[in-house]
Amino acid sequence: MVETRQLRLHKGLRVTLIHQPDAQQAAALAQVAVGSHDEPDAWPGLAHLLEHLLFSDSARFQGDERLMPWVQAAGGRLNATTLPRSSAWFFEVEPALLAEGAARLADMLAAPQFPSEAIAQEAAVIDAEYRLIQQHTPSRREAALYTRVSAPSAFQRFHIGSREAFGDDMAALKEALHQFHQRFFVAGETQLLLQGPQSLAALEQLAHDFAGRLPSGRAAPRAEEIRFLSQADIALTTHSPGALGITFYLHDFTHDVRDNVTLLREFLQDEAPDGAMHSLRQQAWAQQLTFSWLSLDATGSWLALQFDTEQPDAVCAWLAHALRALAHTSSAQRAHYLQLAQQRFAALTPLDQLRERAFGFAPPAQTTHFSALLRQLAQAPQARLWSAASVQGEATETQGFSLQLQPWTPGHFHGALPPLRFHPLAHRHAELTPPADRAPLISLAGDAPATLLLRPPFFTAVSPADAAAIDRRLRPLFALLRHQGGAGSWREAQGVWQLEAQLPAGSEGWLASLPDALRLDGSPPAEPPPDDVAIRELLRQLPQAVAARSATGRWRAALYGGSPEQQAVIAQWLAPLARESDDPCPPPRAGRCLTVAHPSRDRALLLFLPAPPEVSLAALRALALLMEPRFFQRMRVEQQIGYVVSCRYQRCADRDGILFALQSPDVAPDALRAQCETFLQQFAIAEEAERLATLQSRLCAQLTAASARAEKLQRALRQAHGLRDLGRASVDALTPQALRQAQAQLVIGWPGAVALETRCVETQ
């Protein structure tokens, strides 16, 4: 059972501790109440630059011992973000490493060294980010909304940072960083969140150790309520599909009321038949709805709902209609949707749960304040943004962007608004007859509920277009399954699109709908629009380039848990989808170089280097752990290639290998590829027994973490088809010689790499 404790330590540090007994990972997040709005006028982008620089040397930890390379070497995750009124740094590692990570996090916040070379490097990186973000549609939409604020003036200010904004006087910039840091990075402005399987007492001790590194103090109050212009609605010219943002400013917003926004999101994103989101899709008014906070602090909060739509007038009318309907929901319905929101939250990793808590989307403990939220939304000042290619705006320079804006007012909607139905509903179960045949179904003994995994044959790939079409058909089925006590997902894992579903008793009707939902259409479906970030678009395209062939429409099935009777029924319902096959393993595509058209002017390269069969998975994955921080150091820090730099182990379309990812504003893909090859050739592997033991420990931790039902089912399917997986014996047998042999084999196999690179295509 999850236990939570909140504290305020003697220095003023606010602490949230979460004991999660079954957690396979542990996480920490430090949030400081300082953001881009707090920068001196003379130094726009200073908060963003400081966010980057805190990952450089601190008083106690330099070089490879800094938090970033240390977490990378441990196979963990980390990141940071600068918001208008706060900044946060966070990481996730195996539980045994949480104390070491928290010590590094505390030291980098309390005692950064600001090396001059690091300042110059990160200023260059931020300048490259600024150039990239110029064409980033979500950032442009956010900047357009900020023009609707009349106060505070900080919303109108340039805050990303650039080489020009930082100037050439490194001494003056360093002094500004010191002063900014000393003013705000004190215990009274900081909140620490810790989560893991450790006891609350152990987590509290970590918090006390963390607080010991921070100076005492509070900064002077400085937050100011947001006020909108009298004409608060605006339209923006974009090259992306149409989108409507509807924002609300909520005054005097307590945490109890704020957390109910997560419950509101659960109601409005309901994709079950006749649910709120399903009604939008059925009317072809919108395909997606996302929630975000544009600003979040003690004085008030600015909430944004964004709809992907070409019908802004209808959506504006629909939202008002939906909020009125929610005011009449019963206590049983609110309790039901709250349970769904809590289940969704519980399924997140510890790090993602901390992010939701810190950034305003943790579910409430109860529904008591939901009516208060609805009343505040009804009375809240609004600012709305309609963005589309059809908008004929006038050029406006604001916040470092060149935007085409025009005044806009949604028109009056005269159509009929669809009725909305909220669960729980009374269901009448129709009698269904399953097929006579049975699908081949690998079954693993386990606790109920039964968990089903469906994936395409090995070494095949579902195209992005087919994956998007299947996703649209599965969404209402998954939503209905959640209302029935189950859960489902359609996601890409290791380059393979797969369905995972927890099936409660009585799921026959749901199973009967799967063949139609999972069909691969004969005619090519419409391609989804490219991702705004070039490297992410290449990642989306990679499985198709690595796979031996396209998916055939037949599926491999495995089941964890469930009674023998339930297993037999499930096998019958899967008969139209899964059939016997030996799944021959043809050689994968290799030695390919594909060019992907993309509107970004950046040069992006994704290079997947498959490992030859003679390279053990333990050696491959250990080598990747060694290379990741050093690759980052060489490309990102020493050579300043760009802002996306990654080298890691990757399984893609059932092939194991090393994945290099680079995105640069200046360096051509051919040069990036040469840099990767040189790095691999020159990489030196040390002999230290201590380093080897650390690698083995990290790999064993990854084995332990891969204990979820989906991972067990994946392993069972791979074993049934003669494919290998990481095992404890190969980890124990790891030697420096095996690492060097793996490196040599990868160097020899370099011509077999699959490379994807971008080619700039100007948008019209």
Side-chain angles (χ1 to χ4, degrees):
M1 179 179 178
V2 175
E3 297 178 87
T4 301
R5 180 182 297 169
Q6 293 189 329
L7 308 167
R8 184 178 283 274
L9 302 187
H10 70 281
K11 285 188 173 182
L13 178 71
R14 290 170 295 132
V15 176
T16 300
L17 309 174
I18 303 102
H19 166 57
Q20 185 182 359
D22 61 345
Q24 300 294 331
Q25 296 286 90
L29 184 149
Q31 187 171 30
V32 182
V34 58
S36 56
H37 285 190
D38 301 297
E39 298 164 346
D41 290 338
W43 296 103
L46 194 70
H48 188 193
L49 179 60
L50 182 61
E51 173 215 309
H52 282 232
L53 282 169
L54 289 187
F55 284 116
S56 60
D57 290 350
S58 64
R60 292 176 55 196
F61 301 100
Q62 297 93 37
D64 289 347
E65 289 302 308
R66 293 175 293 118
L67 182 68
M68 181 174 286
W70 181 84
V71 169
Q72 291 171 334
R77 296 192 293 153
L78 84 165
N79 212 329
T81 187
T82 301
L83 302 172
R85 296 179 175 181
S86 67
S87 302
W89 294 259
F90 35 90
F91 70 89
E92 182 178 78
V93 289
E94 60 185 88
L97 299 177
L98 180 62
E100 293 181 62
R104 287 165 168 80
L105 180 61
D107 201 60
M108 72 187 228
L109 295 181
Q113 299 301 287
F114 299 129
S116 297
E117 63 275 13
I119 296 175
Q121 289 163 358
E122 295 308 317
V125 168
I126 287 176
D127 187 71
E129 286 185 14
Y130 169 53
R131 283 184 276 166
L132 168 67
I133 215 167
Q134 293 295 298
Q135 302 305 317
H136 186 232
T137 300
S139 299
R140 294 171 65 82
R141 287 174 178 150
E142 187 173 283
L145 274 169
Y146 285 170
T147 67
R148 302 298 88 202
V149 177
S150 60
S153 60
F155 276 104
Q156 307 295 331
R157 192 169 61 191
F158 176 60
H159 62 270
I160 301 165
S162 66
R163 197 186 304 272
E164 180 180 357
F166 297 139
D168 298 323
D169 189 342
M170 284 295 111
L173 179 55
K174 187 172 184 175
E175 179 61 25
L177 286 163
H178 271 296
Q179 292 180 4
F180 190 66
H181 175 264
Q182 289 174 0
R183 178 184 176 190
F184 294 108
F185 280 70
V186 292
E189 297 295 318
T190 305
Q191 179 184 19
L192 175 68
L193 297 93
L194 297 172
Q195 181 165 341
Q198 295 89 341
S199 67
L200 287 175
L203 293 173
E204 184 174 342
Q205 183 58 55
L206 292 183
H208 281 285
D209 295 342
F210 188 97
R213 293 291 297 143
L214 296 178
S216 302
R218 291 291 306 269
R222 57 200 181 279
E224 180 182 349
E225 285 192 1
I226 295 172
R227 299 185 186 278
F228 293 134
L229 297 171
S230 57
Q231 172 54 48
D233 298 334
I234 198 75
L236 167 70
T237 306
T238 66
H239 301 295
S240 301
L244 172 68
I246 303 179
T247 73
F248 304 84
Y249 183 64
L250 301 153
H251 301 269
D252 303 322
F253 205 34
T254 67
H255 280 278
D256 289 333
V257 177
R258 186 194 76 181
D259 287 349
N260 277 269
V261 169
T262 307
L263 176 56
L264 173 69
R265 182 177 66 178
E266 198 67 45
F267 270 111
L268 293 186
Q269 289 183 341
D270 185 8
E271 298 177 289
D274 296 324
M277 192 65 224
H278 188 263
S279 73
L280 281 173
R281 289 204 171 111
Q282 288 295 98
Q283 299 289 334
W285 289 347
Q287 291 298 318
Q288 189 170 351
L289 164 61
T290 58
F291 281 61
S292 63
W293 292 105
L294 298 176
S295 181
L296 194 64
D297 62 33
T299 64
S301 303
W302 192 6
L303 175 67
L305 280 64
Q306 181 172 292
F307 300 81
D308 292 349
T309 179
E310 300 294 341
Q311 305 290 331
D313 300 346
V315 170
C316 286
W318 176 89
L319 181 58
H321 165 65
L323 294 177
R324 289 192 297 270
L326 286 173
H328 298 288
T329 49
S330 68
S331 58
Q333 289 170 327
R334 295 180 182 187
H336 174 73
Y337 281 86
L338 174 59
Q339 183 182 31
L340 296 182
Q342 291 170 339
Q343 289 171 351
R344 190 188 300 275
F345 181 79
L348 298 174
T349 67
L351 178 58
D352 291 331
Q353 286 190 17
L354 293 190
R355 286 167 53 88
E356 294 289 87
R357 290 179 187 274
F359 303 148
F361 285 112
Q366 52 192 1
T367 65
T368 309
H369 298 278
F370 188 62
S371 294
L373 170 65
L374 295 176
R375 287 194 297 271
Q376 288 198 31
L377 289 170
Q379 300 165 5
Q382 291 187 28
R384 294 174 288 194
L385 171 70
W386 164 238
S387 57
S390 59
V391 173
Q392 301 297 314
E394 295 184 4
T396 303
E397 300 295 325
T398 177
Q399 307 147 61
F401 292 89
S402 178
L403 306 177
Q404 289 75 46
L405 299 173
Q406 71 174 37
W408 173 75
T409 302
H412 185 69
F413 179 71
H414 299 282
L417 293 166
L420 304 180
R421 303 175 68 199
F422 303 109
H423 287 255
L425 302 172
H427 290 287
R428 290 181 296 178
H429 298 286
E431 291 294 329
L432 298 171
T433 303
D437 295 336
R438 290 190 181 187
L441 180 65
I442 293 175
S443 298
L444 302 180
D447 299 331
T451 299
L452 173 67
L453 181 74
L454 283 172
R455 57 149 294 158
F458 290 97
F459 302 105
T460 67
V462 176
S463 72
D466 274 325
I470 291 172
D471 179 71
R472 286 192 294 270
R473 294 193 291 266
L474 283 173
R475 282 178 177 272
L477 294 181
F478 286 148
L480 187 59
L481 189 63
R482 294 183 72 223
H483 289 304
Q484 296 171 353
S489 66
W490 169 250
R491 62 187 180 91
E492 189 181 48
Q494 301 173 338
V496 177
W497 282 95
Q498 60 187 38
L499 179 148
E500 182 184 347
Q502 293 181 12
L503 302 176
S507 302
E508 289 81 0
W510 190 87
L511 289 164
S513 303
L514 279 186
D516 181 63
L518 290 173
R519 71 182 186 274
L520 299 179
D521 296 322
S523 57
E527 281 285 342
D531 194 290
D532 278 339
V533 179
I535 201 71
R536 290 206 300 249
E537 177 61 21
L538 295 185
L539 282 166
R540 189 177 71 157
Q541 301 282 350
L542 180 65
Q544 285 285 109
V546 174
R549 59 182 185 270
S550 297
T552 62
R554 295 187 177 184
W555 302 83
R556 302 291 166 262
L559 187 70
Y560 181 95
S563 66
E565 294 77 16
Q566 187 181 19
Q567 292 173 7
V569 170
I570 291 172
Q572 285 180 275
W573 284 111
L574 295 179
L577 289 168
R579 297 192 175 94
E580 292 285 356
S581 173
D582 293 334
D583 252 22
C585 301
R589 296 175 177 176
R592 309 184 73 213
C593 182
L594 303 178
T595 300
V596 176
H598 194 272
S600 172
R601 293 184 178 88
D602 282 357
R603 284 65 173 254
L605 171 72
L606 204 63
L607 194 146
F608 179 72
L609 180 58
E614 54 267 27
V615 174
S616 80
L617 288 184
L620 178 70
R621 294 175 69 159
L623 183 63
L625 287 174
L626 282 176
M627 292 197 302
E628 182 174 4
R630 296 193 208 172
F631 186 78
F632 185 91
Q633 175 69 20
R634 177 181 290 192
M635 302 299 178
R636 173 73 150 65
V637 178
E638 297 170 9
Q639 300 189 22
Q640 300 181 41
I641 292 294
Y643 30 78
V644 176
V645 173
S646 178
C647 165
R648 64 180 187 268
Y649 159 79
Q650 185 83 8
R651 176 173 288 166
C652 183
D654 306 305
R655 283 301 312 267
D656 297 286
I658 301 291
L659 182 69
F660 298 91
L662 293 165
Q663 184 168 327
S664 170
D666 306 309
V667 185
D670 285 348
L672 295 175
R673 197 183 320 174
Q675 293 272 22
C676 295
E677 184 175 12
T678 300
F679 172 82
L680 181 62
Q681 291 170 342
Q682 296 178 349
F683 184 73
I685 297 171
E687 286 280 357
E688 300 99 333
E690 182 180 349
R691 176 65 61 88
L692 182 64
T694 300
L695 288 173
Q696 290 172 312
S697 174
R698 301 289 184 269
L699 293 176
C700 288
Q702 291 177 9
L703 276 173
T704 303
S707 59
R709 294 174 180 176
E711 281 82 4
K712 290 180 178 179
L713 293 173
Q714 281 279 25
R715 284 176 169 266
L717 281 169
R718 289 178 62 83
Q719 184 178 6
H721 291 85
L723 299 176
R724 59 181 182 162
D725 266 309
L726 182 66
R728 182 60 185 262
S730 62
V731 173
D732 291 341
L734 194 62
T735 64
Q737 180 63 21
L739 292 174
R740 282 191 285 271
Q741 289 173 349
Q743 179 187 10
Q745 290 292 337
L746 289 170
V747 170
I748 293 171
W750 189 266
V754 176
L756 280 74
E757 59 189 50
T758 55
R759 171 176 54 85
C760 179
V761 175
E762 297 288 345
T763 55
Q764 298 300 315

